[in-house]
Amino acid sequence: MDDDLIDTDALSLSRKSRLPGAGFFYPDSLDEEYADRRAREAIEGAEAVVVADGDADGLGCVALLREVYDAALDVAPFEASLAARTDPTLERDDEDDEDRDDSPVGLVTASPHSLTDALERVAEYADPGVDVFVCDLCPDDESVIDIVEAVVDRAETVRWFDHHQWDDDVAAAVREAGVELVVGESDEECTADVALRSLDYDFPDHLVDLAAVTRDHDLWIKEDPRSDDLSDYGHWVSAEEYVTVVGRYGPDLPEPVRDYLDHRRVEKEQLIEAAVDRAEMESVGPWTVGVTYGRCSQNEVAEALRERGADAAVIVKPAGSASIRGSEGFERAHEVAALVNGGGHPRAAGCKPDIYDDMLDYAHHWTTEGYATKQVILAGFERVAEDVENGDDDE
């Protein structure tokens, strides 16, 4: 395949918003090979290993843990690279993260779907007696227990910090395996809050502030303007860069980062506008659901749809996944997501319906702006509405 065909940076904004990024077109086997190599490099010889969600909340926990272990990387190379991204007169340092020195606190990013794979790599590659932390991840069921037990056998200690809604049986099984599990209230704390209060360490003010601003973003409180900076920065740069920079500065990001964010936000706002313009309002039970499609920042799109009167928002992505966002009038996003191969929080959840059998299905997805995915998710809303009407509230 010609590389230009998947180079979305060369496309018009309208076409770019309808297609997934280049990484979508790489086979999973290549992704797995790369992920395994990077995980092994991060894990082998590490004093501690953190398996964390790759968003601002999970990575904020990594910054806290590297402070505890005095294991932060040098921030200077990242700052120099940032400056070169927005200033063409500076020489760009294209050194990849894999060529930089590794921290004694190794980082393995994971999602709920790849959690088992990440833990398997820890069990295989970690030195005996290592400290292991799992942050901002909630297993779907008890199938993870066997590999958790293998990690416990390998490690000196295993601690798990989270704030999602856990199944009681899964939580009990994880604890019985020998894990110190701390789960915060999902509508009051982010995982960085949980880690901050659970670690016996006197954190500097900038990291205490980091946890507070991360909560403002992760719980969609939106009272601190710095939370948007953390969200965007964590989404646009590598995990190692984010952890290193916020570990050094907290939420008061340095000038090179702010310049970079300003540069990237021009296109971000255009993609948000395109998604909002495509939105349609659907009445499902007692709720108005705003439904749209496109590559975009889902939180800002959801906020715009709420301002238009939506109780809930569904943002379908070109890669086939979707974000479901709620409001004070709709706190069942996780219930809808659970019906379509997903999960999350009452006001913020994600899913990817299992409806893509081959590339023709994806071609149809792109050319119809996610029609089939929208219908499957709306059917989930209808199921939840029926349960509410019948009084069958499922926690």
Side-chain angles (χ1 to χ4, degrees):
M1 180 187 292
D2 188 338
D3 287 351
D4 290 342
L5 292 176
I6 59 175
D7 180 12
T8 55
D9 288 338
L11 297 175
S12 68
L13 184 125
S14 176
R15 297 178 77 86
K16 181 175 183 176
S17 69
R18 290 175 166 85
L19 291 170
F24 171 86
F25 297 96
Y26 292 106
D28 288 346
S29 58
L30 291 181
D31 284 341
E32 282 297 307
E33 180 182 338
Y34 177 77
D36 187 74
R37 176 166 58 87
R38 287 296 298 129
R40 184 170 187 167
E41 292 170 352
I43 293 168
E44 286 185 337
E47 180 181 357
V49 176
V50 190
V51 177
D53 193 300
D55 68 358
D57 193 16
L59 297 180
C61 297
V62 182
L64 296 176
L65 286 164
R66 286 190 176 170
E67 169 71 18
V68 172
Y69 283 83
D70 191 22
L73 295 177
D74 182 10
V75 74
F78 294 107
E79 290 183 309
S81 177
L82 272 165
R85 290 174 214 169
T86 55
D87 187 346
T89 66
L90 298 176
E91 183 178 352
R92 175 75 177 267
D93 177 10
D94 289 322
E95 181 184 20
D96 191 84
D97 280 346
E98 64 184 287
D99 297 322
R100 301 185 191 276
D101 291 335
D102 285 323
S103 168
V105 174
L107 166 60
V108 180
T109 57
S111 68
H113 295 295
S114 64
L115 174 59
T116 298
D117 291 338
L119 292 175
E120 286 176 348
R121 290 173 178 133
V122 174
E124 181 176 0
Y125 299 134
D127 292 350
V130 71
D131 294 333
V132 176
F133 298 86
V134 183
C135 298
D136 202 34
L137 291 163
C138 176
D140 294 328
D141 52 46
E142 292 185 49
S143 63
V144 74
I145 299 304
D146 286 345
I147 189 58
V148 168
E149 291 174 343
V151 172
V152 170
D153 289 342
R154 188 80 169 176
E156 176 70 21
T157 61
V158 181
R159 304 180 71 182
W160 197 317
F161 305 138
D162 193 30
H163 75 133
H164 295 92
Q165 295 186 333
W166 282 60
D167 177 87
D168 289 341
D169 291 338
V170 175
V174 167
R175 290 188 173 105
E176 288 171 5
V179 175
E180 180 185 335
L181 172 64
V182 185
V183 181
E185 294 294 331
S186 62
D187 58 350
E188 296 178 5
E189 294 182 294
C190 67
T191 305
D193 287 319
V194 176
L196 188 78
R197 66 175 170 83
S198 300
L199 295 166
D200 185 16
Y201 186 84
D202 186 14
F203 286 97
D205 290 344
H206 74 281
L207 291 180
V208 175
D209 204 18
L210 174 66
V213 179
T214 301
R215 180 196 326 128
D216 185 78
H217 152 65
D218 206 62
L219 301 190
W220 201 241
I221 299 170
K222 303 290 289 182
E223 293 177 352
D224 192 319
R226 296 174 296 175
S227 67
D228 284 339
D229 292 343
L230 294 184
S231 174
D232 286 343
Y233 190 44
H235 181 67
W236 285 331
V237 302
S238 71
E240 287 291 356
E241 177 175 320
Y242 182 84
V243 168
T244 303
V245 172
V246 301
R248 170 64 179 82
Y249 295 103
D252 294 316
L253 300 173
E255 185 176 356
V257 174
R258 296 197 303 272
D259 290 343
Y260 172 73
L261 293 176
D262 289 342
H263 175 73
R264 289 292 303 267
R265 279 172 174 161
V266 174
E267 180 180 84
K268 174 188 174 181
E269 293 301 323
Q270 293 171 335
L271 291 171
I272 290 171
E273 183 178 352
V276 172
D277 287 344
R278 292 191 193 110
E280 298 179 351
M281 297 294 183
E282 304 283 349
S283 293
V284 182
W287 310 301
T288 298
V289 183
V291 185
T292 190
Y293 170 89
R295 287 175 69 184
C296 59
S297 177
Q298 60 264 18
N299 288 336
E300 284 83 348
V301 172
E303 180 65 24
L305 297 182
R306 280 193 288 265
E307 291 175 356
R308 291 188 176 189
D311 299 300
V314 176
I315 302 95
V316 177
K317 300 298 187 67
S321 60
S323 294
I324 303 171
R325 295 293 183 264
S327 66
E328 291 184 1
F330 182 82
E331 296 187 341
R332 300 174 180 273
H334 62 304
E335 295 179 25
V336 175
L339 296 172
V340 276
N341 197 32
H345 302 284
R347 292 198 193 182
C351 62
K352 186 174 183 179
D354 187 16
I355 59 174
Y356 307 99
D357 293 330
D358 54 38
M359 290 303 290
L360 280 177
D361 288 336
Y362 277 108
H364 181 265
H365 178 72
W366 302 326
T367 55
T368 64
E369 298 184 351
Y371 176 80
T373 304
K374 292 176 182 176
Q375 298 309 306
V376 169
I377 295 173
L378 285 172
F381 273 90
E382 291 169 357
R383 283 269 306 277
V384 173
E386 291 172 1
D387 288 344
V388 171
E389 184 177 355
N390 295 331
D392 298 330
D393 247 345
D394 185 4
E395 283 297 325

